[in-house]
Amino acid sequence: MEPKKYIDQNIDRFLEELFELIRVPSISSDGQRKEDMRKAAEVWVKHLLAAGAEKASVFESDGHPVVMGEKILGDEFPTVLVYAHYDVMPVDPLELWDHPPFDPIVKDGRIWARGADDDKGQSFMHAKAFEYVLREGLLKCNVKFLIEGEEEIGSASLPAFIDAHREQLACDVILVSDTGMVKPGQPTITSGLRGLSYWEVEVTGPSRDLHSGLFGGAVANPINVLCKMIAGLTDERNKVTVPGFYNDVRELSSEERRLVNQVPYDEADYKAEVGVKALCGEYGYTTTERTGIRPSFDVCGIWGGFSGEGAKTVLPSKAYAKLSSRLVANQDYVAIGQLLKSHLETHAPDYVDVKVQVLHGGKPYECPIDIPAYQAAARACETVFGKLPVPYKSGGSIPIISTFEEKLGVKSILLGFGLASDAIHSPNENFPLDNFKKGIETIIQFYKEFAK
């Protein structure tokens, strides 16, 4: 049976199986969700075995459980390792969701739920493609699965897990669907990822909250101080001001920049999609360059003081912020993490105490487009979409990808099908049903091409 016909005939079953996984609120950053994390792992084991894996099990790690499964044809066959993650981002603010985030529905041609795209929907395409090639007798390579539960919090436990299971994870290439397409209908293979550094900052002023009338103007307000410190981390050209931040950033040649900017891009569509009137970024670079080949700095959250209904005249004792920086090739996330920590702590004014905690990070990643596995993925995309994929340097980060290369010595093919409109990490996350189906079909074709 042709892949498209098989997918269409079984789509209702595929969705119900996916929805079983989505309904588990596997939020890795929430300490109250440990049972849900294990349940999500167990659901994955169930579906890998049902799809035809010889074995699949939940393995313990230093953090959340890890799922491994496999179908081994023999040592003479090449091996594909499918990597995915079953954890999802928190759903706050809940009131902005149009539908309960863990009660998936299909509406207007899209799957709506937390994890619909990132990464339950995209990862489940691999389970169904695997099912098809086994049932049709088309599998000509060994397939292994590694599905973790800490990607959204930096995959802290996975490096040690890889070390402990290196032989079981040995492979020739890693296949990942946790990225996106540059626009609808345009297949895309991500050839580069930015790295990440992430911090939490705590600013302490007085020993307790104070009356802002009696003490305001005489005692420093930690929120005011924190805002000024953050504002000073970038200049009027939107460049990071921390000394040494750009020391290892490789400046691309004019030809390299020309190739980067060949990725399809329409500024009007881009602005409309994210709902802004104008764009903002580092001076002298295009939007594609800003998100692909240049580092960035962002405040991911800031809080402190009174935020309830009505008014309370308080001068708060503490203020907090979550900060992140996306890094590019040659930048070391460990060094950058310590660089900003030291900068903020040593430049803090005497009237407050500043503590900076480096939470997590990851290295940047680059994949050549001339390796056989990339070319197999490109031919698969062309078969399904009728056009060749574009290689894309993504602004996102998947910290473990560079670790895979370091520890297993293999490249990862980042074959994703998400869209910018999918609202990953945000309320109303969704995933086009057509992309879900085409993703399954493309992965099926990848196995055929890779076996050649």
Side-chain angles (χ1 to χ4, degrees):
M1 185 184 299
E2 288 300 310
K4 190 175 186 305
K5 184 177 181 181
Y6 183 85
I7 294 166
D8 287 339
Q9 286 186 356
N10 289 277
I11 191 62
D12 290 341
R13 174 173 62 86
F14 289 179
L15 289 174
E16 188 48 47
E17 292 171 352
L18 169 61
F19 289 178
E20 180 185 8
L21 180 63
I22 287 177
R23 290 186 184 107
V24 183
S26 49
I27 304 171
S28 53
S29 61
D30 187 345
Q32 305 300 312
R33 296 290 186 182
K34 289 186 177 181
E35 290 186 9
D36 290 318
M37 300 302 292
R38 180 166 295 279
K39 182 178 180 181
E42 291 170 349
V43 170
W44 254 116
V45 167
K46 169 186 171 182
H47 288 297
L48 287 178
L49 292 172
E54 292 173 330
K55 55 184 178 180
S57 302
V58 176
F59 289 76
E60 300 304 322
S61 77
D62 293 335
H64 294 305
V66 176
V67 175
M68 287 201 296
E70 63 183 29
K71 175 68 176 179
I72 304 299
L73 302 183
D75 293 340
E76 68 273 24
F77 293 93
T79 300
V80 176
L81 173 63
V82 176
Y83 164 77
H85 65 93
Y86 64 82
D87 64 321
V88 296
M89 277 285 182
V91 298
D92 306 291
L94 187 59
E95 66 273 12
L96 295 184
W97 286 80
D98 295 333
H99 190 81
F102 295 108
D103 185 10
I105 61 169
V106 176
K107 181 181 178 182
D108 300 326
R110 291 173 175 262
I111 305 166
W112 298 84
R114 173 59 88 227
D117 173 333
D118 185 21
D119 182 41
K120 292 180 178 179
Q122 290 219 61
S123 63
F124 211 72
M125 297 183 304
H126 287 272
K128 297 300 101 182
F130 177 64
E131 172 188 307
Y132 174 84
V133 293
L134 278 176
R135 292 191 181 184
E136 296 295 313
L138 299 173
L139 188 64
K140 304 298 181 183
C141 61
N142 302 315
V143 181
K144 300 178 179 180
F145 290 86
L146 173 64
I147 305 169
E148 65 147 324
E150 297 183 3
E151 195 275 341
E152 299 293 12
I153 54 174
S155 301
S157 303
L158 203 53
F161 186 88
I162 295 170
D163 287 336
H165 298 84
R166 194 182 300 267
E167 186 175 340
Q168 291 166 275
L169 296 172
C171 60
D172 296 288
V173 69
I174 300 171
L175 186 60
V176 185
S177 294
D178 193 17
T179 53
M181 298 161 59
V182 294
K183 67 177 183 178
Q186 176 58 64
T188 305
I189 302 177
T190 298
S191 59
L193 292 166
R194 290 195 290 184
L196 174 70
S197 281
Y198 200 105
W199 307 266
E200 181 174 313
V201 182
E202 177 188 278
V203 179
T204 304
S207 59
R208 65 186 188 281
D209 288 357
L210 301 176
H211 189 293
S212 65
L214 297 178
F215 295 95
V219 178
N221 185 319
I223 298 179
N224 293 358
V225 174
L226 177 58
C227 289
K228 288 179 181 179
M229 293 180 70
I230 290 173
L233 293 175
T234 53
D235 62 19
E236 68 281 355
R237 296 165 69 89
N238 292 306
K239 196 166 185 176
V240 177
T241 59
V242 179
F245 182 83
Y246 293 95
N247 283 359
D248 296 323
V249 174
R250 184 173 73 86
E251 296 291 340
L252 272 65
S253 67
S254 57
E255 175 61 15
E256 287 175 310
R257 291 180 68 177
R258 184 187 70 80
L259 292 174
V260 167
N261 284 291
Q262 283 186 338
V263 172
Y265 169 75
D266 184 287
E267 185 165 311
D269 289 345
Y270 188 93
K271 290 188 293 187
E273 195 165 84
V274 297
V276 297
K277 295 179 181 179
L279 301 178
C280 176
E282 186 180 356
Y283 182 80
Y285 295 91
T286 66
T287 298
T288 303
E289 291 172 331
R290 288 168 178 169
T291 59
I293 65 171
R294 298 298 294 172
S296 62
F297 172 81
D298 285 288
V299 181
C300 298
I302 186 167
W303 70 99
F306 177 70
S307 59
E309 185 177 353
K312 181 182 181 183
T313 52
V314 62
L315 192 159
S317 171
K318 291 181 178 290
Y320 303 86
K322 304 272 192 181
L323 311 178
S324 75
S325 186
R326 300 289 173 165
L327 310 176
V328 294
N330 296 343
Q331 283 188 297
D332 181 352
Y333 76 95
V334 175
I336 293 295
Q338 293 302 316
L339 185 70
L340 187 131
K341 171 180 168 66
S342 176
H343 177 82
L344 288 176
E345 290 180 346
T346 57
H347 288 78
D350 292 339
Y351 36 79
V352 294
D353 291 322
V354 174
K355 294 180 181 179
V356 181
Q357 181 182 4
V358 182
L359 296 185
H360 65 82
K363 296 180 181 179
Y365 170 77
E366 290 190 318
C367 178
I369 65 175
D370 59 353
I371 62 174
Y374 182 99
Q375 293 299 317
R379 293 192 298 270
C381 289
E382 186 177 22
T383 298
V384 175
F385 288 86
K387 62 178 72 172
L388 284 168
V390 294
Y392 176 60
K393 293 189 179 297
S394 171
S397 304
I398 309 176
I400 201 62
I401 297 300
S402 58
T403 304
F404 279 137
E405 183 173 14
E406 176 186 330
K407 292 185 176 293
L408 299 179
V410 295
K411 286 290 186 181
S412 296
I413 304 301
L414 305 173
L415 183 60
F417 301 90
L419 298 174
S421 57
D422 293 355
I424 63 172
H425 295 198
S426 300
N428 299 314
E429 180 179 349
N430 62 91
F431 189 36
L433 185 57
D434 187 58
N435 285 29
F436 178 71
K437 294 162 71 173
K438 277 191 167 63
I440 299 171
E441 193 175 353
T442 305
I443 296 164
I444 290 169
Q445 292 297 331
F446 171 82
Y447 283 120
K448 293 181 180 179
E449 296 291 340
F450 184 70
K452 295 178 182 178

